[in-house]
Amino acid sequence: SDESSEDDAQIKWEEQQIKKAVKLSQETYDDASLHKSPAAKPKFDPSVSLPPVNLEIVKKRLTERITSLQDVHCAHQREYEKYMEDIESSKMNVQELEKSSDAAQNYKFYRAMKTYVENLINCLNEKLKYVNDLELTAHVLLQQQAMRILKRRQDELKNESAYIQHLASGNDKPTNGGLEGDEKSQLLEMCEHRRTCRRQLRECSGEAGHHEGMSSDDELTPTEATEFQKSKDNLLEDSRKIFEDVHADFCDIRKILLKFQEWKEKFPDSYCDAYISFCLPKLLNPLIRVQLINWNPLEQNFTELEEMPWFRAIEEFSDAKNIPESKRDDDPDKEVLLRVIEKTILPKITAFVKNVWDPLSTSQTENLVQLCKKLFEKQVLSNNECSRAKEDLMNMVVLRMKKSVEEDVFIPLYPKSTVEDKSSLCSKFQERRFWSAVKLLSNVLLWDGIAQEDTIRDLGLSKLLNRYLLLKLVNTPPGPDYIEKCNKVIACLPERWFQDLKGGSTLPELLNFCQHLLRCARTLHKNNHSNETKEVVLLLVKVKALHIVEDFIEEHKLEHLKSMI
């Protein structure tokens, strides 16, 4: 019971405490409500007047509000577009970064290429001295051979002329400059021996239409030929040793070009920016010159450039088969082969022309002319302007021909009684010298279309024909021999010169020649040689001297010859 009373007392005390707390919070709330000021009610003062409001004012304010909102909208639109551009730029940067994820590989390639080029240049610089020395030795060897043949020919001409002049004069003793000593007699015997051997070869081969004096007379003695071949073989052996200690990657032109081809395919922009197509001709120059040590474009059956390994390798590289058709015109590598020809081949040919070429040799001249035509046609097809190397080559060709005309042409004049006998030494010597000059005329005119036409006409017609050949023709009596000589001279003239001639007149340089043909035709007609007269008239027609032919036909009433015009 005591415990029950204590619990009741505890419960009552808790209830009293709760009531006190509730009462206290109620009083606090009431006090706050009393202290709170009542809300102020708006009062309308009828004495205050408001501004008038109409539709225009409302419309104006709405328009201003719309304009303001539009400006804000435009600003937001621009900001939105900027954000979109930034997003697109970020996407592109992400793509570029994804593509350049192999930057390490690219760096490795460039590093390897740089090292390769440096090693290649160092290798070529080290070998360049040996290449220069070997090339100079080969060139000197050919030059010495050419000078030996030229000197022999000039000495023999001088001695033979002095000997025949001595016979023609009838003196008992040789004149100054005549034959003195066994050495000069031996030279003449050797010359006659070579001439006899050539004649026998022509007879065996059945060659017709050849005249004494039209051979180049450039045969070497067995001893000279053996020594020359031995020196040549030694040069070739030395040339093979130059790069024998070099890895193929640094001396094989095809492998070198493959390295640069790889660069071009992987990184065309940097390849173009580095101007590799302009550097390759100079870079390959020593390697090409080594392959050309044994190349002589003047000899028979020389190796064509197109057949050489270096030419085929560069031609394949320049061909650009892997480049799209639309970009081939802009491909700088298509000019590599032409630059190699200009920088390496043309200067080498110029050296041959200056020191080795014999303008009196028909075979050498024909080979040289054909080679120049091929090389110059490549430049024309590529629309290249006339290069300095080409100008130097043609200037040297003209200079060398002028020198040959001045030094190698000699046609002696003997008394008529001396040369009437065709079997006499004087007549044979004069004939040989005439046909030698005709051969030189033919060789000079082979350059028509390559050298300037005015220069060729001056050399061939003004100097050779009018100064030397015509003098011999004037002293040749009209007849079959005379007609054959004139026919051969006219056969040398390019037909192109006469295609555009108008007015019935021939070339100015041929006027003297045509006047002499006219005098010959009159003499033949006077002596009743109708067939020979017709042949001379036909020669005049070939050179387009139609006015002269018409006057001759009218003068002598040869109406049947009008059909030839």
Side-chain angles (χ1 to χ4, degrees):
S1 63
D2 291 338
E3 293 179 357
S4 176
S5 60
E6 289 179 0
D7 293 337
D8 293 338
Q10 181 66 29
I11 293 171
K12 288 181 179 180
W13 182 84
E14 290 178 355
E15 291 177 351
Q16 290 175 359
Q17 293 300 320
I18 291 171
K19 289 180 180 180
K20 288 181 180 179
V22 170
K23 184 177 181 182
L24 182 61
S25 61
Q26 184 68 34
E27 291 176 353
T28 303
Y29 176 77
D30 293 340
D31 290 341
S33 300
L34 291 174
H35 287 292
K36 185 178 180 181
S37 60
K41 295 182 179 180
K43 295 182 178 181
F44 178 74
D45 188 0
S47 62
V48 178
S49 61
L50 297 174
V53 178
N54 55 33
L55 185 60
E56 293 297 329
I57 295 175
V58 174
K59 185 176 180 181
K60 180 180 179 182
R61 290 184 177 179
L62 289 175
T63 303
E64 292 175 352
R65 179 64 176 170
I66 290 173
T67 303
S68 176
L69 292 175
Q70 287 178 343
D71 293 341
V72 173
H73 174 72
C74 291
H76 290 167
Q77 186 69 25
R78 287 193 297 269
E79 189 175 2
Y80 169 77
E81 292 175 355
K82 181 177 180 299
Y83 289 152
M84 294 303 296
E85 290 178 358
D86 292 342
I87 291 173
E88 292 297 327
S89 176
S90 299
K91 288 181 179 179
M92 293 179 64
N93 290 335
V94 169
Q95 293 176 356
E96 291 294 330
L97 291 174
E98 289 176 350
K99 289 181 180 179
S100 61
S101 59
D102 56 347
Q105 294 294 330
N106 297 347
Y107 173 76
K108 184 179 180 180
F109 172 81
Y110 281 121
R111 184 83 175 181
M113 196 69 196
K114 180 176 181 293
T115 303
Y116 172 77
V117 172
E118 290 176 348
N119 292 334
L120 176 62
I121 293 175
N122 291 334
C123 172
L124 295 178
N125 285 335
E126 182 179 346
K127 299 295 184 180
L128 188 59
K129 179 180 181 301
Y130 302 103
V131 175
N132 291 337
D133 293 343
L134 198 61
E135 188 179 48
L136 179 61
T137 303
H139 190 74
V140 169
L141 180 64
L142 294 174
Q143 182 179 358
Q144 289 176 347
Q145 179 191 10
M147 293 299 296
R148 189 183 300 114
I149 293 174
L150 178 62
K151 184 177 184 304
R152 184 187 69 188
R153 184 170 65 207
Q154 292 177 346
D155 290 343
E156 289 175 349
L157 174 61
K158 179 180 177 181
N159 294 333
E160 191 172 9
S161 175
Y163 176 67
I164 294 176
Q165 184 66 34
H166 161 64
L167 294 179
S169 63
N171 295 333
D172 295 335
K173 295 183 179 180
T175 58
N176 292 335
L179 295 181
E180 296 176 0
D182 295 337
E183 182 179 355
K184 295 182 179 180
S185 299
Q186 187 177 4
L187 285 175
L188 291 179
E189 291 177 1
M190 292 175 59
C191 179
E192 184 61 32
H193 175 69
R194 293 194 304 274
R195 193 178 296 126
T196 302
C197 292
R198 290 194 298 269
R199 188 185 307 114
Q200 292 175 352
L201 288 175
R202 288 195 300 270
E203 291 174 355
C204 294
S205 62
E207 182 179 351
H210 184 88
H211 297 275
E212 293 284 354
M214 299 190 74
S215 299
S216 299
D217 194 17
D218 54 1
E219 295 89 351
L220 296 176
T221 64
T223 303
E224 292 173 340
T226 302
E227 292 179 355
F228 176 78
Q229 190 60 43
K230 182 179 179 180
S231 301
K232 189 176 180 180
D233 293 340
N234 292 335
L235 277 173
L236 294 178
E237 184 65 26
D238 293 339
S239 68
R240 285 189 285 266
K241 294 179 180 179
I242 292 182
F243 289 100
E244 67 178 0
D245 59 342
V246 178
H247 193 275
D249 288 345
F250 299 93
C251 63
D252 190 325
I253 292 180
R254 188 178 299 275
K255 292 186 176 182
I256 293 173
L257 292 176
L258 285 176
K259 289 280 188 181
F260 288 98
Q261 182 68 32
E262 182 184 2
W263 181 1
K264 180 180 178 180
E265 292 175 356
K266 288 185 176 180
F267 310 102
D269 293 338
S270 64
Y271 179 88
C272 185
D273 293 341
Y275 296 99
I276 300 300
S277 60
F278 291 92
C279 301
L280 283 177
K282 186 175 182 180
L283 190 68
L284 301 178
N285 176 274
L287 300 172
I288 296 173
R289 286 162 56 195
V290 170
Q291 296 188 31
L292 293 174
I293 291 294
N294 192 37
W295 183 66
N296 182 1
L298 302 178
E299 64 182 5
Q300 289 287 2
N301 302 321
F302 72 95
T303 305
E304 296 286 349
L305 292 175
E306 292 82 353
E307 299 175 2
M308 294 186 174
W310 68 264
F311 190 97
R312 292 197 297 266
I314 299 177
E315 192 174 36
E316 292 174 3
F317 178 78
S318 301
D319 196 18
K321 293 180 179 179
N322 297 327
I323 298 178
E325 190 72 26
S326 58
K327 296 183 179 180
R328 287 188 183 179
D329 293 339
D330 300 329
D331 181 27
D333 286 341
K334 69 178 183 178
E335 301 289 335
V336 171
L337 180 59
L338 296 172
R339 292 192 183 100
V340 167
I341 291 174
E342 180 179 349
K343 301 297 183 183
T344 303
I345 305 303
L346 293 185
K348 188 174 183 68
I349 297 175
T350 303
F352 274 103
V353 170
K354 181 179 179 181
N355 299 313
V356 184
W357 175 45
D358 180 12
L360 270 177
S361 173
T362 301
S363 61
Q364 290 186 15
T365 305
E366 289 176 346
N367 292 338
L368 193 59
V369 167
Q370 292 300 321
L371 177 62
C372 291
K373 282 183 177 180
K374 288 182 181 179
L375 297 180
F376 295 164
E377 283 175 1
K378 291 181 181 295
Q379 288 186 325
V380 171
L381 293 176
S382 66
N383 297 322
N384 272 6
E385 296 181 359
C386 185
S387 64
R388 181 60 183 272
K390 178 181 176 181
E391 291 180 359
D392 293 342
L393 172 57
M394 296 317 303
N395 290 337
M396 186 54 63
V397 167
V398 172
L399 186 63
R400 186 66 188 88
M401 288 193 297
K402 286 181 178 179
K403 183 179 179 182
S404 184
V405 170
E406 295 170 357
E407 298 180 357
D408 296 330
V409 178
F410 171 67
I411 304 178
L413 294 178
Y414 299 115
K416 185 177 180 181
S417 58
T418 306
V419 296
E420 282 181 347
D421 183 7
K422 297 299 181 181
S423 62
S424 66
L425 292 178
C426 293
S427 177
K428 289 182 178 181
F429 181 67
Q430 189 183 61
E431 286 291 301
R432 286 198 298 270
R433 300 313 308 160
F434 173 82
W435 288 112
S436 177
V438 171
K439 180 182 66 172
L440 181 58
L441 172 66
S442 176
N443 294 346
V444 168
L445 298 184
L446 285 176
W447 290 98
D448 177 61
I450 302 177
Q452 291 185 356
E453 182 177 328
D454 293 343
T455 304
I456 298 302
R457 284 170 59 172
D458 178 67
L459 276 175
L461 303 184
S462 300
K463 290 184 170 60
L464 263 174
L465 176 59
N466 292 333
R467 187 180 299 178
Y468 295 103
L469 297 176
L470 191 56
L471 191 61
K472 164 63 177 170
L473 292 173
V474 168
N475 291 278
T476 301
D481 181 58
Y482 172 85
I483 294 175
E484 183 184 8
K485 287 182 170 64
C486 293
N487 199 6
K488 184 64 177 178
V489 169
I490 293 177
C492 298
L493 305 178
E495 295 181 1
R496 184 178 63 88
W497 290 358
F498 306 100
Q499 289 177 353
D500 298 329
L501 290 179
K502 297 179 180 179
S505 298
T506 186
L507 299 174
E509 295 89 348
L510 293 177
L511 288 177
N512 291 336
F513 179 62
C514 291
Q515 289 297 330
H516 181 63
L517 285 175
L518 176 61
R519 288 194 293 271
C520 177
R522 287 171 175 167
T523 302
L524 292 171
H525 176 70
K526 182 179 179 181
N527 295 331
N528 296 322
H529 297 295
S530 59
N531 291 335
E532 295 174 352
T533 302
K534 184 178 179 180
E535 291 182 19
V536 174
V537 172
L538 182 60
L539 294 178
L540 287 169
V541 173
K542 286 182 179 180
V543 296
K544 301 299 182 182
L546 302 182
H547 280 333
I548 294 178
V549 174
E550 290 172 355
D551 293 342
F552 175 75
I553 292 176
E554 183 177 354
E555 177 184 356
H556 297 282
K557 311 300 181 183
L558 302 175
E559 301 297 333
H560 64 282
L561 296 181
K562 284 188 176 181
S563 60
M564 299 174 58
I565 301 177

